[in-house]
Amino acid sequence: MEDNLIVCRELSKRFGMKYALDHVDLSIGRGRIVGLLGPNGSGKTTWIKLLCGLLQPSSGEARINGLLPGRETKAVISYLPDRMYFADWMVAGDLMDYFEDFYADFDRGRAERMCASLGIEKNHRIKTMSKGTKEKLQLALVMSRRAQIYLLDEPIAGVDPAARDFILDTILRNYNPEGTVIISTHLISDVEKVLDEVIFLKEGKIVRHDTVDNIRETEGKSVDALFREIFRATSYFPEGGDNAWERS
């Protein structure tokens, strides 16, 4: 077993002539909750999609458990995209059936218990749910897998503060302790309390990868305060709008 769960070497992704991810070198161990932090358009979603095998690198490589993204690595990654990808006509029970059919590590009993705690019945149709409830349902399904890597892309964006607390508590209580959780967000103050380490991305490059404890000890400030300091002058939005490259 590899010491590091994720290793990236000179990993790059271009859209046209512009880099969405620019020669990233990175190693991430096991049993960690990692914040992938940066403004919109900084390369967060691009990096996550490269790990999932949904995008192919322009150069360099990413390895999961020593393997390039592919069939074997997809089996150990539980991915929460930044938008709902299920049809509105489906009901909650359909989604559980879907996950149970596709993922050998899916714990249906856990998913049913989490949904019950949310007041979501199996026959509740997605199109009748609020945005926050849809987010919670999708997260419950993703966190009901015994995965090695949980890639959560903006799991708390667009929901109210109470829902954010529930989502973070769900992550803490339900992830595989032998696995690693990566939370992509720009809402630093909300997630800082659950993070072990952070990665700051700016214009597709890593500007800092450190533990939360070390940042507080060496900088004498919170991760949120350091983030604001580093990105204070940033008004970085690619052509085509906010996050345009990452959604390509």
Side-chain angles (χ1 to χ4, degrees):
M1 183 182 289
E2 294 283 323
D3 290 337
N4 287 310
L5 191 53
I6 299 170
V7 176
C8 301
R9 297 187 180 93
E10 293 290 304
L11 183 64
S12 299
K13 180 62 181 179
R14 292 192 315 272
F15 294 105
M17 297 302 294
K18 296 183 178 181
Y19 280 96
L21 206 67
D22 191 355
H23 297 86
V24 166
D25 289 306
L26 179 66
S27 297
I28 299 175
R30 301 173 187 276
R32 314 292 290 165
I33 299 182
V34 182
L36 182 64
L37 313 178
N40 291 327
S42 59
K44 302 188 301 297
T45 295
T46 296
W47 183 67
I48 286 174
K49 287 183 175 180
L50 286 166
L51 293 184
C52 290
L54 298 174
L55 291 174
Q56 296 301 310
S58 301
S59 60
E61 65 177 24
R63 289 186 178 267
I64 312 295
N65 269 340
L67 301 171
L68 294 172
R71 188 172 184 176
E72 290 181 74
T73 63
K74 288 178 181 180
V76 301
I77 292 175
S78 193
Y79 170 47
L80 179 74
D82 61 348
R83 62 184 71 181
M84 192 76 172
Y85 60 94
F86 298 113
D88 276 353
W89 57 262
M90 298 177 79
V91 298
D94 292 334
L95 300 189
M96 292 182 199
D97 292 340
Y98 175 88
F99 270 70
E100 195 166 30
D101 288 343
F102 272 80
Y103 304 113
D105 61 2
F106 179 66
D107 184 339
R108 181 162 188 144
R110 176 185 288 183
E112 289 177 348
R113 288 190 296 274
M114 279 197 273
C115 286
S117 72
L118 293 169
I120 299 174
E121 301 292 339
K122 294 178 186 179
N123 62 349
H124 283 182
R125 200 167 299 279
I126 292 175
K127 68 179 179 183
T128 67
M129 297 177 186
S130 67
K131 176 178 173 58
T133 300
K134 290 177 183 177
E135 297 276 359
K136 292 174 187 176
L137 171 60
Q138 194 167 233
L139 181 69
L141 295 169
V142 167
M143 298 308 298
S144 292
R145 290 183 56 197
R146 292 287 294 180
Q148 293 188 41
I149 301 174
Y150 301 85
L151 298 174
L152 312 179
D153 196 357
E154 297 287 356
I156 61 173
V159 296
D160 60 68
R164 291 175 191 173
D165 288 342
F166 175 88
I167 287 169
L168 293 174
D169 184 62
T170 299
I171 292 168
L172 279 174
R173 290 176 179 272
N174 293 284
Y175 82 99
N176 177 3
E178 296 177 0
T180 283
V181 180
I182 296 174
I183 304 174
S184 164
T185 187
H186 58 276
L187 300 171
I188 319 303
S189 61
D190 291 287
V191 302
E192 180 173 348
K193 61 187 175 184
V194 306
L195 301 178
D196 297 307
E197 57 189 76
V198 294
I199 299 163
F200 286 177
L201 265 181
K202 182 178 182 180
E203 300 182 17
K205 296 181 179 181
I206 294 177
V207 295
R208 184 154 184 171
H209 179 199
D210 208 343
T211 66
V212 171
D213 287 344
N214 192 56
I215 286 174
R216 290 171 180 161
E217 183 177 339
T218 59
E219 303 292 340
K221 61 185 69 172
S222 67
V223 171
D224 183 48
L226 180 62
F227 179 87
R228 292 172 185 272
E229 181 179 298
I230 290 175
F231 293 98
R232 182 178 296 130
T234 299
S235 59
Y236 172 65
F237 301 101
E239 293 178 9
D242 190 359
N243 246 15
W245 298 339
E246 299 186 9
R247 302 188 192 283
S248 299

